[in-house]
């Protein structure tokens, strides 16, 4: 299991968290992009190999939403709250 660093509770087991998904780029104005780009932004979830910025909710702890960097190859937290993130 992963140990996710909570800035209030310290490193906690991933079972205390709920995955909120990858951090997406800001929502574009629909009239400023093509239909294909707009559909892609709405429906496609990035799944890169390597470090990914993700959101996690400490649902069984302090209730804080965290943004962390996790390496999808190893599940290692490569940067967490308080580490320049």
């Amino acid at each position: 299991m992963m140990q996710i660093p909570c800035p209030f509770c310290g490193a906690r087991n991933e079972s205390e968290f709920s995955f909120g998904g990858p951090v997406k780029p800001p929502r574009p104005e629909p009239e400023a992009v093509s239909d294909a780009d707009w559909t892609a932004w709405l429906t496609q979830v990035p799944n890169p190999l390597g470090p990914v910025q993700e959101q996690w909710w400490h649902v069984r702890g302090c209730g804080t939403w965290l943004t962390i960097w996790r390496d999808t190859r190893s599940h290692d937290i490569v940067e967490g709250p308080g580490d320049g993130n």
Side-chain angles (χ1 to χ4, degrees):
M1 289 237 155
M2 287 190 307
Q3 293 290 310
I4 298 176
C6 176
F8 301 106
C9 305
R12 309 300 285 189
N13 191 294
E14 73 175 288
S15 64
E16 293 186 14
F17 294 83
S18 179
F19 181 63
V23 175
K24 291 181 77 170
R27 178 181 170 160
E29 291 298 324
E31 59 275 354
V33 295
S34 69
D35 288 346
D37 289 341
W38 177 240
T39 302
W41 190 90
L42 290 172
T43 60
Q44 294 177 1
V45 177
N47 190 19
L49 185 61
V52 175
Q53 191 176 20
E54 299 175 330
Q55 297 174 326
W56 289 80
W57 179 29
H58 197 178
V59 67
R60 291 180 185 88
C62 63
T64 301
W65 276 95
L66 310 171
T67 301
I68 61 172
W69 284 91
R70 180 179 64 87
D71 191 319
T72 60
R73 296 169 293 199
S74 63
H75 296 292
D76 290 336
I77 307 297
V78 292
E79 187 177 329
D83 296 335
N85 186 0

